[in-house]
Each structure stands twice: as C-alpha cells, then as structure tokens.
Amino acid sequence: MRTPKHLKVSRRFVVEEIRKRRGYGNTSAYLVQWKGYTKPTWVEGTLLLQDVPHLVRKFESDYSQKWQKAFLQQKAFITKVTKEGGILVF
C-alpha cells in the first residue's frame, strides 16, 4: 500500500549511545550513535536534553567520573615524582 503524498511520514531515530561531547554550556554538542546506523553524528545539546535527558545526564556523570579519576591519577604521579626529586617538564 502506498502512502498518500499529502501525508507527512516521519522517522523516529533512537539514540543507542552518546560517545563524546564538544563545546560548553549552551553551545554543547554530543556525538550520538544511532540505533541501526553505523556512523555517529553530532547533535546540538539542547535537542538531546529535550528528547533523551536521562542519557545526557548519564553521559555527563560517567564523563565527570572518568576525568576526575584521570586528574587524581595525574596528581598522584606528579606528587610521587616531586617527592623523589624528579623534574617535570610540560
């Protein structure tokens, strides 16, 4: 059966995973992996917050924990090297 031309057919895209974030605050965008598609795309943060706020909150929580852990590991390394009399060059 064919769809009449006057009817608008909309597709529903399902977010499988949020992979990355770029930008800050109101200018944030997220790299979204869509269910059933191979290539992720960047999506404006405000749009995702309207449609899938729970996934954005989960990503932000995981992202925050990941970077906090990396920061603490780096801080522990610098402290260790400094105490041993090492020289740090950045």
Side-chain angles (χ1 to χ4, degrees), residues 45-56:
T46 54
L47 295 175
L48 285 179
L49 281 170
Q50 292 172 3
D51 293 338
V52 288
H54 61 288
L55 292 178
V56 175

Side-chain angles (χ1 to χ4, degrees), residues 63-78:
Y63 184 81
S64 175
Q65 289 174 11
K66 174 184 161 186
W67 286 107
Q68 186 177 24
K69 182 179 177 183
F71 173 77
L72 292 174
Q73 288 174 341
Q74 183 181 26
K75 185 177 176 183
F77 173 76
I78 290 171

